[in-house]
Amino acid sequence: MPRTLPLRISIRDCLVLVLLVIFNTIHITDMANNNMDIPKEKKSSKESNDKSSVRGDTEDYLKSCPSEQDNIQCTVLEYPCIFCNRTIDCIYGGFSNYSCEVKAKVHCNGSRTFNRTAICRFCYQTEKWEHRCDQKANCNSLASPLKYYSTNCTVSDDVICLGTRRFIKKILCSWTAGTRWGTALILALTLGGFGADRFYLGHWQEGIGKLFSFGGLGVWTLVDALLIGIHHLGPADGSLYI
């Protein structure tokens, strides 16, 4: 009966195999980030509904407006209690007079029609601190190149502008789920051989691989610590560190 020779694998072969697995994982992750699609937003309301809400045809705005008991001058009211408009023949970026009118059923003292001075611009041209946008957490903040998504933005009540006060805007995908970079780095340096850093970041498959390979004989542990240190390896859900 022929004798079976034992299979011998050198330490160098193990290190090469571990490095191939790590670099293959990085390549697949980059491909997934670059090919990640962001779903497109559809308009939630028709143009006729936008116009009616701006002009105050519905009475939902009364919840934010003063009542009969409040002693407030009409000239100090803000949106949605008033409606301001002007023609678009003003010079963009310059100050112009807007004709403002208090909406129906809003109680205030003084003239219900007055003028206000504001910058000539459309609402979608306001600065980022002058409008609020709905944030989303279903995109990849770590993608390369950087990803953008479309969302609904609403102008602040104290801002006067032309057009509809609610508009669609593309903003940079940037959100966090509370994962701390310092915690991930400490786990990589201390318990990286058991895959604790991978488990913490949500990469549980790679974490199991590190656990049963003792951190790839230490090489995988050092590589992950380096990748976390330079922010190349982040949470599996695509969020940012805090």
Side-chain angles (χ1 to χ4, degrees):
M1 185 175 181
R3 183 179 179 182
T4 304
L5 297 177
L7 180 62
R8 297 181 178 179
I9 301 177
S10 63
I11 298 179
R12 187 182 68 176
D13 295 335
C14 293
L15 296 179
V16 172
L17 180 60
V18 170
L19 290 176
L20 289 176
V21 172
I22 294 174
F23 289 126
N24 184 58
T25 302
I26 296 175
H27 179 66
I28 294 176
T29 303
D30 291 340
M31 291 181 61
N33 291 340
N34 292 332
N35 295 330
M36 185 176 183
D37 296 329
I38 300 176
K40 295 183 179 180
E41 282 287 321
K42 294 184 178 180
K43 292 184 179 181
S44 59
S45 59
K46 296 181 179 180
E47 184 177 357
S48 58
N49 293 334
D50 291 339
K51 291 182 179 180
S52 63
S53 60
V54 170
R55 293 186 176 275
D57 294 344
T58 60
E59 298 182 0
D60 294 337
Y61 62 89
L62 293 176
K63 299 177 182 179
S64 304
C65 298
S67 59
E68 296 182 5
Q69 291 77 17
D70 299 326
N71 188 15
I72 297 180
Q73 295 294 325
C74 297
T75 54
V76 299
L77 293 178
E78 297 178 348
Y79 183 85
C81 304
I82 60 175
F83 171 73
C84 297
N85 195 15
R86 67 155 290 120
T87 58
I88 60 175
D89 59 351
C90 56
I91 301 177
Y92 171 73
F95 287 92
S96 181
N97 290 327
Y98 286 75
S99 298
C100 300
E101 180 181 355
V102 180
K103 294 183 179 179
K105 298 183 179 181
V106 176
H107 300 278
C108 61
N109 299 328
S111 175
R112 302 181 66 87
T113 303
F114 51 91
N115 293 331
R116 278 190 180 175
T117 302
I119 300 177
C120 176
R121 57 185 173 176
F122 287 94
C123 293
Y124 66 86
Q125 296 173 321
T126 54
E127 301 293 341
K128 60 182 180 180
W129 58 83
E130 294 178 319
H131 54 256
R132 304 176 301 274
C133 297
D134 298 334
Q135 301 292 328
K136 296 183 179 180
N138 61 349
C139 59
N140 194 343
S141 301
L142 304 175
S144 179
L146 299 177
K147 296 292 184 178
Y148 291 81
Y149 64 91
S150 300
T151 186
N152 293 318
C153 299
T154 306
V155 181
S156 302
D157 295 342
D158 59 340
V159 176
I160 299 177
C161 53
L162 300 172
T164 57
R165 303 183 66 85
R166 188 173 178 86
F167 53 91
I168 303 295
K169 182 180 180 180
K170 295 188 68 175
I171 62 177
L172 179 65
C173 178
S174 178
W175 65 282
T176 179
T179 306
R180 297 185 177 274
W181 174 80
T183 303
L185 184 60
I186 292 175
L187 290 175
L189 296 175
T190 57
L191 301 175
F194 302 98
D197 53 338
R198 287 280 184 169
F199 287 119
Y200 176 71
L201 295 176
H203 304 281
W204 59 271
Q205 293 177 330
E206 293 83 351
I208 294 176
K210 290 183 68 175
L211 177 62
F212 286 99
S213 65
F214 299 102
L217 300 179
V219 178
W220 197 345
T221 301
L222 295 177
V223 172
D224 275 357
L226 177 62
L227 295 179
I228 294 176
I230 63 177
H231 289 261
H232 183 82
L233 179 60
D237 56 6
S239 61
L240 296 175
Y241 288 114
I242 59 174

